């Protein structure tokens, strides 16, 4: 007992020393919530576009620091467009005095960053110097790879998960980082799970954890994850969280989503059906909180960056479409290209990583834009510059439909989403009209036939070839009934007479083709034809016309 408390005292002293040597970092970022939005003190929306960066594994080091300097890694985070890091840590970092003191001492001796609270502080400060926000995520109790049902870290009362130790640990961590300017939030616990999990204990302990964090760090957002590996917040529909600081507007909920949540389905069933179902399920298991006035942080989602995993290839565009539709805050899994040590393997590769094995460059330049497409806010306080309009988002590429030329009759191509036009569309079936093109009347989009470019014009708006509906279970096939429009037989075959927006063989132009994978085919990939019609209120920036 005496030993433990003296070690604790030593730890506190060390932390105080480290804290007093903290370098001046960026301006203090204090965030709060305004209904479902996260906002700055001026009330403007701050969209969290984070990447997960782990410090919770066996070696208790922030991953990557053995491969690249912290400044180089934080520089890459910024250049890839992320504004925030969800930095994971084991609670033992602050509750196991022997672990903390020994490793801090070792790291001081080694004169490097590899190490625990001091090291985490150094990483946070390096991110602060680049104006990157940090959310501290308690990932596990004992250092190690997460997660399984029986790893002793799953739920309150499990072998290594004493709720009292955990509440103390959260309080210590919040205290240490309370005045670190760029630490904007604390995620209470990652992926609760296992046979002990139940909503009753969830309320009891998550509310206690939240109070401990808020008391120690009133500035911080307090982020609560759900049950079943952060997959399920549906129980909140029946009972709200009760915390003393509700009026401070600091509560945020977090949810996770991977292809392996539903792996068999993504592999074997029709991607249109699975995506439609998964999108409805997202609303049920957490999305409903947005309408209840809480931000929802999709704090883990990701995919194999090599493009060779069929279930991830179907899942990711679906998840990206849902994330864009709700314009949620998010954190991609993951930054790390490799681990110092994971599950006993030194130098293990991470195929979900945005960085390559050596942490020196993006792993795959072609998949990065899919993630980057979600970084920009589409709506929210401070972004209400235009009346709500529709954007044609192509989640497979992370691009949007933009006009190719400024002529009266013109075609579309995939281009940057920040250079899109304002479309008017009224689901479930209407014209797709260029709302702001007043000089040329109101041009509407028409299908001209299989393999032909979809064309903008002012003729025949509202006839079958310019009446678009959102077809298939995915709701992402933007289709006309060509059997009506082209007069019977000429339907391109196999599409049930429907023509869908598609990307041409040049990989860029927007054409119509028979709608793919309509008949519940599990071997067929419709993702190239998926266009998600999302709402934006951002100012429209007209794109300089290019030649057709
Ligand atoms: C604290 O950490 C040490 C070193 O890793 C470990 O041996 C010990 O079991 C831990 N104590 C507790 C109570 O978890
Ligand atoms: C990058 O992603 C694309 C598309 O998924 C894939 O075709 C390509 O093989 C990937 N490249 C590498 C180096 O993983
Ligand atoms: C749109 O974003 C790209 C970078 O993705 C940038 O190069 C371009 O200038 C932006 N366009 C506008 C109109 O801001």
């Amino acid at each position: 007992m005496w030993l433990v408390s003296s070690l604790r005292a030593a730890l506190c002293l060390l932390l105080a020393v480290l804290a007093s040597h903290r370098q001046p970092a960026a301006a203090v970022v204090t965030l709060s919530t305004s209904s479902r939005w996260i906002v700055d003190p001026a009330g403007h929306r701050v969209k969290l576009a984070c990447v997960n960066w782990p410090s919770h594994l066996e070696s208790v080091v922030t991953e990557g620091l053995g491969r690249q300097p912290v400044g180089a890694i934080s520089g890459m985070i910024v250049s890839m467009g992320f504004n925030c890091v969800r930095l994971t840590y084991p609670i033992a970092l602050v509750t196991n005095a022997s672990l903390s003191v020994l490793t801090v001492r070792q790291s001081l001796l080694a004169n490097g960053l590899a190490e625990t609270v001091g090291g985490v502080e150094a990483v946070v400060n390096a991110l602060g110097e680049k104006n990157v926000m940090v959310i501290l995520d308690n990932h596990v109790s004992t250092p190690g790879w997460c997660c399984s049902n029986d790893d002793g870290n799953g739920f309150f009362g499990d072998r290594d998960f004493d709720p009292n130790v955990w509440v103390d640990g959260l309080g210590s961590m919040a205290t240490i980082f309370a005045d670190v300017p760029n630490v904007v939030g604390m995620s209470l616990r990652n992926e609760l799970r296992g046979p002990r999990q139940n909503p009753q204990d969830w309320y009891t302990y998550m509310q206690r954890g939240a109070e401990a964090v808020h008391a120690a760090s009133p500035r911080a957002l307090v982020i609560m994850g759900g049950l079943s590996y952060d997959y399920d917040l549906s129980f909140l529909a029946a009972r709200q969280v009760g915390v003393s600081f509700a009026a401070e507007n600091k509560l945020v909920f977090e949810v996770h989503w991977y292809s392996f949540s539903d792996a068999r389905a993504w592999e074997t069933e029709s991607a249109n059906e699975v995506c439609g179902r998964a999108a409805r399920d997202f609303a049920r298991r957490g999305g409903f909180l947005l309408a209840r006035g809480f931000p929802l942080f999709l704090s883990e989602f990701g995919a194999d960056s090599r493009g060779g995993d069929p279930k991830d290839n179907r899942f990711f565009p679906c998840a990206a479409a849902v994330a864009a539709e709700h314009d949620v805050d998010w954190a991609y899994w993951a930054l790390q290209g490799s681990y110092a040590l994971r599950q006993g393997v030194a130098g293990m590769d991470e195929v979900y990583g945005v960085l390559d094995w050596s942490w020196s460059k993006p792993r795959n330049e072609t998949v990065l834009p899919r993630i980057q497409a979600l970084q920009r806010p589409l709506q929210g306080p401070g972004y209400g510059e235009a009346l709500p309009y529709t954007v044609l988002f192509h989640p497979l590429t992370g691009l949007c439909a933009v006009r190719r030329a400024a002529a009266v009759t013109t075609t579309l191509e995939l281009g940057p989403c920040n250079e899109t036009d304002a479309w008017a569309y009224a689901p479930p079936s209407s014209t797709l009209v260029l709302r702001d093109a007043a000089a040329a009347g109101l041009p509407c989009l028409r299908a001209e036939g299989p393999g032909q470019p979809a064309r903008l014009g002012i003729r025949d708006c509202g006839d079958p070839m310019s009446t678009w509906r959102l077809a298939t279970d995915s709701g992402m096939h933007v289709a006309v009934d060509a059997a009506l429009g082209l007069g019977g037989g000429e339907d391109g075959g196999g599409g049930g007479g429907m023509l869908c927006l598609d990307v041409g063989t040049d990989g860029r132009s927007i054409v119509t083709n028979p709608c793919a994978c309509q008949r519940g085919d599990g071997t067929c990939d419709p993702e190239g034809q998926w266009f998600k019609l999302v709402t934006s209120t951002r100012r429209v920036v007209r794109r300089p016309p290019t030649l057709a």
Side-chain angles (χ1 to χ4, degrees):
M1 225 25 218
W2 177 86
L3 183 66
V4 170
S5 53
S6 67
L7 284 169
R8 266 176 200 276
L11 172 67
C12 290
L13 190 64
L14 263 171
L15 294 176
V17 169
L18 285 163
S20 66
H21 286 99
R22 205 176 278 146
Q23 287 171 3
V28 178
V29 189
T30 299
L31 301 181
S32 58
T33 67
S34 172
S35 76
R36 60 144 294 185
W37 311 106
I38 294 172
V39 296
D40 67 12
H44 286 121
R45 179 177 188 198
V46 174
K47 180 172 180 173
L48 301 178
C50 317
V51 66
N52 280 278
W53 188 357
S55 301
H56 68 273
L57 275 74
E58 290 93 321
S59 42
V60 205
V61 295
T62 302
E63 298 293 337
L65 301 182
R67 307 223 191 274
Q68 298 295 333
V70 66
I73 297 172
S74 39
M76 285 187 285
I77 290 169
V78 172
S79 66
M80 291 186 288
F82 299 105
N83 63 10
C84 147
V85 162
R86 180 174 178 257
L87 191 62
T88 70
Y89 69 93
I91 208 81
L93 192 64
V94 281
T95 58
N96 182 333
S98 86
L99 176 81
S100 306
V101 171
L102 285 178
T103 40
V104 170
R105 207 170 131 246
Q106 280 162 354
S107 78
L108 291 179
L109 288 176
N111 199 23
L113 287 173
E115 271 132 295
T116 67
V117 178
V120 171
E121 287 195 283
V123 170
V124 168
N125 288 342
L127 291 167
E129 282 165 26
K130 300 242 167 29
N131 290 314
V132 177
M133 297 178 284
V134 172
I135 287 163
L136 295 170
D137 162 64
N138 172 224
H139 215 69
V140 285
S141 300
T142 42
W145 181 248
C146 182
C147 308
S148 68
N149 280 339
D150 56 3
D151 61 10
N153 282 254
F155 199 72
F156 308 106
D158 280 3
R159 189 191 62 233
D160 294 327
F161 197 170
D162 178 333
N164 297 321
V165 173
W166 173 74
V167 170
D168 280 356
L170 286 179
S172 304
M173 201 67 182
T175 303
I176 294 165
F177 288 93
D179 61 351
V180 178
N182 58 318
V183 173
V184 297
M186 305 268 304
S187 210
L188 299 186
R189 182 71 170 199
N190 183 65
E191 301 201 351
L192 294 166
R193 62 191 175 274
R196 273 200 178 75
Q197 66 171 344
N198 68 84
Q200 188 63 41
D201 286 350
W202 187 94
Y203 286 98
T204 304
Y205 297 119
M206 292 298 265
Q207 288 170 180
R208 274 184 60 196
E211 297 289 353
V213 165
H214 184 72
S217 181
R219 278 180 48 235
L221 295 174
V222 175
I223 306 172
M224 294 184 169
L227 298 173
S228 303
Y229 295 82
D230 273 357
Y231 195 67
D232 182 18
L233 289 158
S234 62
F235 55 91
L236 287 165
R239 178 180 160 193
Q240 292 221 0
V241 166
V243 287
S244 65
F245 59 91
E248 309 291 320
N249 296 326
K250 294 292 183 183
L251 265 192
V252 172
F253 294 97
E254 66 182 320
V255 69
H256 293 177
W257 193 10
Y258 289 106
S259 67
F260 46 77
S261 322
D262 218 359
R264 287 289 300 155
W266 287 111
E267 265 167 288
T268 59
E269 295 174 38
S270 151
N272 285 319
E273 286 166 24
V274 181
C275 182
R277 198 164 72 217
R280 288 189 294 277
D281 216 38
F282 182 81
R284 183 193 58 78
R285 63 193 179 80
F288 72 94
L289 289 162
L290 297 169
R292 300 250 176 132
F294 292 102
L296 183 65
F297 179 34
L298 177 56
S299 60
E300 285 189 22
F301 72 127
D304 187 328
S305 306
R306 296 167 302 180
D309 183 336
K311 61 182 189 313
D312 276 1
N313 291 348
R314 294 173 174 186
F315 159 78
F316 193 75
C318 177
V322 170
E325 177 183 20
H326 298 292
D327 201 7
V328 289
D329 300 279
W330 52 269
Y332 191 78
W333 185 271
L335 177 67
Q336 67 273 15
S338 57
Y339 300 88
L341 180 69
R342 171 176 152 184
Q343 295 164 297
V345 180
M348 188 191 275
D349 193 33
E350 175 53 270
V351 297
Y352 279 49
V354 293
L355 295 179
D356 69 348
W357 185 88
S358 63
W359 291 66
S360 58
K361 62 177 190 312
R363 181 172 283 261
N364 190 333
E365 294 279 4
T366 64
V367 302
L368 205 50
R370 294 188 202 177
I371 306 162
Q372 291 170 326
L374 304 173
Q375 289 169 342
R376 196 168 163 263
L378 297 172
Q379 301 177 59
Y383 295 101
E385 301 129 333
L387 290 171
Y389 60 90
T390 297
V391 176
L392 279 67
F393 174 52
H394 189 249
L396 182 64
T397 53
L399 298 172
C400 285
V402 301
R403 258 188 296 172
R404 190 179 275 242
V408 173
T409 296
T410 185
T411 57
L412 304 178
E413 65 184 10
L414 293 176
C417 291
N418 57 349
E419 295 176 357
T420 181
D421 286 290
W423 295 90
Y425 181 75
S429 172
S430 88
T431 50
L432 263 167
V433 176
L434 265 191
R435 195 186 66 181
D436 298 334
L442 288 178
C444 67
L445 190 67
R446 284 179 59 79
E448 307 245 296
Q452 302 295 308
R455 228 169 252 288
L456 272 168
I458 54 174
R459 276 192 321 108
D460 302 328
C461 291
D463 79 345
M465 295 298 270
S466 62
T467 302
W468 302 89
R469 65 190 176 88
L470 306 182
T472 74
D473 280 357
S474 66
M476 290 195 280
H477 274 113
V478 183
V480 297
D481 195 331
L484 293 175
L486 293 173
E490 205 182 334
D491 71 352
M498 291 203 302
L499 287 176
C500 279
L501 291 185
D502 200 350
V503 182
T505 48
D506 61 358
R508 185 168 168 192
S509 59
I510 293 179
V511 301
T512 54
N513 275 317
C515 303
C517 318
Q518 289 198 82
R519 302 213 174 89
D521 183 354
T523 62
C524 160
D525 280 300
E527 302 89 71
Q529 288 188 344
W530 283 351
F531 284 85
K532 184 71 187 175
L533 271 48
V534 297
T535 301
S536 175
T537 55
R538 297 290 299 264
R539 189 193 340 274
V540 175
V541 182
R542 191 53 41 72
R543 181 171 193 251
T546 57
L547 292 178

